[in-house]
Amino acid sequence: MQHKMTRRTVGLLAVGLACSLALPATADDRKQLAFDVVDRNAQAMADISDSIYYFGELGMQEFESTKLLKDTLTAAGFKVELGGAGMPTNLWAEWGSGRPKIAIVTEIDALPGGSQTPGEFNRKPLVQDGPGHMEGHNTHGGVASMAAFAVKQVMQRYNLPGTVAVSFGPAEEQIASRPYIVRAGYFKDVDAAIVLHLGPAFATGYGLQNYAAISSIFTFHGKTAHGAVNPWEGKDAVDAVVLMDMGFDKLREHLRPSYRAHRTITAGGIQPNIIADRGHIWWFVRDASMPAAKETYDKLVKIAEGAALMTGTTFDVKYAASAWPQLVNKSIAEAIYKNIEMVGVPKWSDAEQQRAKDFQKMYEKPTSGLNTAVTPLGGRAQSASSNDNGDVTWQVPTGNLQFPSTIPGIEAHEWKAAVFPTSSISHKGQAAGAKALAASLIDLLTSPELLAKARAEFEVESKKTPYFSMVPPDAKPDTDLNKVEMEKYRADMRKFYLNKTPRFN
C-alpha cells in the first residue's frame, strides 16, 4: 500500500510540474530575464559606449561608430542595414518579423571642439581643437543595442511575435537626418517608438517636448570691384548679409514671444579693399510649433529678398535641416514610468557622489550630487532646444526615456560635459536605462491594449497640428557635412581608439 501511495504521489508531482512548466510567463518573468541579460552584458555595453566616445565622430561622418554597431548587432543576430535614405552612416537594425513592430530611436554623433580627456576636471583635450562627445551621445550606442538584444532574448525564450528595431540617425546635432529617414518610409510599419537620450535624471514625460526648427543657408551673389578705385562698380554680397541680419533684428519686436532665431556668417568677404561677390549667412529659426516656426521663416526669406533688392545682388537658399517638436505620448510615458520605478536609480557609491559634488563645486554649480530618486511622471516644460527625432513622433505613437548618466547642473555642448561619459557613473546609468528601455519595449510588444490606447491618443493629438515635411522634394542629405573638419583630426584621434570587439551573450 505504501508503495502504491508513493507511485501515486510521484505521478501527481510529475503532473504538477508539467502544469507549472506549461503556465505562461508573466510580464515580471520576461522583464527579469531582460534585466539578467543586461547585467550579464554590462561590460560589453560599456565597451560599445566607450569606444564610440573615443571615435568622437561628427555628424554624417560616424563611420567607425556605425561599423562597430553593425558588427556587434550582426553578431547578435540582427539584420542590419547601413546607408539607407541616402546617408552612408544611417543605421537601421531589426530582429524578429511581423507586428507589432517597436523601434528605438536615437543618435551617436559628437560635437566640434569637444575633445576632452575623460575623468579630467580641467580642460585637457585628447586632440587639440578636435571633436568630442560633450553631450554624451556615445552612451546611446551601448544602451540602445543592449536593450534591443535583451528584448530579442526574451522574444526567443517566450516565443513572442513581433519585431524590435533600432534607428541610429546621423547628424542629430545638426538636426540633419531624421526627416529624410521618415521620408524614406522607415516608420510606415512601426507601431510605436521610444526616443532615447541621456541626462541627469531617470525620467520620462509627455506632451510637446523641444522646439520646431528650420535651418537654411542664404548665399548672396554680387560683383567684385576695388574698394578704393571703383567701388561704385561693385555689388557687395556682404552688405546684403549685413542688411539681412539687421532687417531681422528690426523684425524681432513683432514676433511671437515663443520664437527663437540665431545665425552665423560663414562667408564674409576676403579683405577690406575687395568688394565681396559672395556672402553666406546660416540661420536657425525655432518656435513651439512647426507652423509658427515656418511663419517666422517665411518672413526671414522676405527680408533676404529686401536685402538683395537694396544691394543689387541676388541670392539663393539651401535647405540644411528641420525638426518638428517631439509629440510625446502619455499612455506610453505611463508604461515607461512604471518600469523606471521598477528599476530604480542606480546605487551610487560614496566616492561617486563625492566626485560629482567636487565637479559641481569646481564649476560653481549647486553641489547636489547625483540624483537619488526617479523624477515623478508629469508633463514637462517645453524646451527651446530641438531634436530631429521630433519628426518621428508625428508618424507613430512615441514615448521618451532619459537615463541618468550626466552630472546635474553641467550643461551639454560645453567641454565639461565630456568629462564623465565613460565613468562608472555613466556606466551605472546606462545599465539602468537599458533595463527600463527593455522592459518598456516588452510592454509594447505584449500589450495590445497599451498599443491601442497609445494609438487612439496619437490620432487625437497629431490631428491638432497636421504634419507636413519641411524637406524640399528634390533635397538630398548633405553627406559631406563635417567631412573636412573630421578628417583634420581623425588620424590623431585614432591613437586613442580602444580597439575592442564587444559581443553580447
Side-chain angles (χ1 to χ4, degrees):
M1 187 67 178
Q2 185 178 4
H3 175 67
K4 290 180 180 179
M5 284 291 292
T6 302
R7 289 179 60 189
R8 183 168 180 268
T9 301
V10 170
L12 288 172
L13 288 171
V15 171
L17 179 60
C19 288
S20 68
L21 291 173
L23 289 174
T26 66
D28 286 348
D29 292 333
R30 295 166 182 152
K31 291 176 184 180
Q32 186 56 56
L33 173 58
F35 297 167
D36 292 344
V37 173
V38 172
D39 287 336
R40 186 170 70 238
N41 289 278
Q43 186 59 54
M45 177 177 60
D47 287 346
I48 294 170
S49 297
D50 291 359
S51 294
I52 294 173
Y53 180 92
Y54 287 99
F55 293 148
E57 293 173 302
L58 298 171
M60 293 293 179
Q61 306 305 315
E62 308 97 333
F63 292 102
E64 296 289 352
S65 302
T66 51
K67 179 183 176 183
L68 176 74
L69 289 167
K70 181 181 180 180
D71 182 54
T72 304
L73 288 166
T74 300
F78 283 74
K79 178 183 176 181
V80 182
E81 177 192 275
L82 189 57
M87 293 172 284
T89 57
N90 177 38
L91 190 151
W92 183 278
E94 290 186 6
W95 189 89
S97 62
R99 313 288 280 272
K101 186 173 184 176
I102 315 300
I104 305 167
V105 181
T106 193
E107 57 275 336
I108 51 173
D109 55 333
L111 284 157
S115 181
Q116 173 64 17
T117 302
E120 176 59 57
F121 279 20
N122 294 301
R123 185 65 164 124
K124 186 180 178 183
L126 286 169
V127 174
Q128 188 64 43
D129 301 321
H133 279 283
M134 55 182 177
E135 189 170 341
H137 283 180
N138 63 293
T139 62
H140 299 178
V143 175
S145 301
M146 181 71 268
F149 177 76
V151 171
K152 168 186 177 284
Q153 298 299 91
V154 171
M155 294 172 74
Q156 287 182 307
R157 171 77 64 85
Y158 296 110
N159 197 29
L160 300 178
T163 306
V164 59
V166 188
S167 172
F168 290 109
E172 186 281 325
E173 298 292 5
Q174 288 80 31
I175 56 171
S177 70
R178 207 73 64 171
Y180 289 105
I181 297 170
V182 167
R183 187 177 73 173
Y186 279 84
F187 291 91
K188 283 184 178 178
D189 62 346
V190 172
D191 294 287
I194 297 177
V195 170
L196 179 72
H197 206 284
L198 83 165
F202 205 2
T204 186
Y206 54 85
L208 284 177
Q209 314 277 288
N210 300 104
Y211 259 32
I214 304 168
S215 170
S216 288
I217 299 168
F218 292 75
T219 301
F220 290 88
H221 306 278
K223 181 178 180 293
T224 58
H226 194 294
V229 176
N230 61 336
W232 51 87
E233 293 184 6
K235 295 180 181 179
D236 198 327
V238 175
D239 280 351
V241 166
V242 172
L243 285 168
M244 183 185 186
D245 195 19
M246 291 171 61
F248 192 83
D249 276 346
K250 294 302 180 184
L251 179 67
R252 291 180 187 274
E253 178 185 359
H254 309 287
L255 296 175
R256 301 169 187 271
S258 54
Y259 95 96
R260 298 287 188 277
H262 24 275
R263 86 292 179 263
T264 185
I265 297 173
T266 52
I270 301 171
Q271 63 186 49
N273 63 343
I274 300 175
I275 303 297
D277 65 348
R278 185 171 58 90
H280 292 257
I281 184 167
W282 181 9
W283 282 91
F284 270 57
V285 173
R286 308 181 198 248
D287 214 316
S289 73
M290 183 56 82
K294 187 176 184 302
E295 181 181 299
T296 299
Y297 177 77
D298 289 343
K299 293 177 181 178
L300 179 68
V301 174
K302 288 293 184 183
I303 291 171
E305 292 174 1
L309 182 63
M310 285 188 285
T311 54
T313 59
T314 60
F315 78 98
D316 55 63
V317 185
K318 181 182 178 182
Y319 165 88
S322 61
W324 276 63
Q326 291 180 3
L327 177 65
V328 185
N329 192 278
K330 184 178 180 181
S331 299
I332 297 177
E334 289 170 344
I336 292 173
Y337 182 69
K338 289 178 182 176
N339 291 312
I340 289 174
E341 283 194 309
M342 179 189 299
V343 174
V345 173
K347 290 181 171 56
W348 313 115
S349 69
D350 291 343
E352 288 166 337
Q353 281 285 15
Q354 189 59 53
R355 189 160 172 76
K357 290 178 181 179
D358 290 344
F359 196 58
Q360 290 166 333
K361 182 179 180 180
M362 183 170 179
Y363 291 103
E364 300 180 336
K365 305 295 183 181
T367 54
S368 58
L370 302 167
N371 288 316
T372 57
V374 303
T375 301
L377 177 64
R380 297 279 180 267
Q382 190 175 9
S383 166
S385 64
S386 304
N387 186 308
D388 67 359
N389 293 330
D391 283 59
V392 175
T393 69
W394 295 84
Q395 310 302 308
V396 297
T398 305
N400 69 9
L401 172 63
Q402 180 184 117
F403 59 95
S405 285
T406 68
I407 308 301
I410 305 300
E411 297 297 332
H413 290 222
E414 58 173 313
W415 70 265
K416 301 176 191 69
V419 173
F420 281 89
T422 65
S423 67
S424 64
I425 292 169
S426 176
H427 294 159
K428 286 182 178 181
Q430 289 176 50
K435 290 177 181 180
L437 178 56
S440 301
L441 294 169
I442 291 167
D443 286 336
L444 290 165
L445 283 164
T446 60
S447 176
E449 296 80 12
L450 172 58
L451 280 180
K453 186 178 178 184
R455 171 58 64 174
E457 178 189 330
F458 172 77
E459 293 295 339
V460 171
E461 295 299 321
S462 62
K463 286 177 181 176
K464 293 178 181 178
T465 309
Y467 176 82
F468 57 89
S469 177
M470 283 300 302
V471 182
D474 60 346
K476 295 180 180 179
D478 181 4
T479 55
D480 286 335
L481 182 68
N482 295 314
K483 182 177 181 179
V484 173
E485 181 74 5
M486 192 69 226
E487 291 309 313
K488 285 196 295 187
Y489 304 105
R490 196 182 286 278
D492 289 333
M493 294 170 68
R494 193 169 281 120
K495 301 170 187 176
F496 298 97
Y497 289 0
L498 298 183
N499 298 315
K500 293 191 175 182
T501 307
R503 289 291 181 266
F504 295 136
N505 62 79

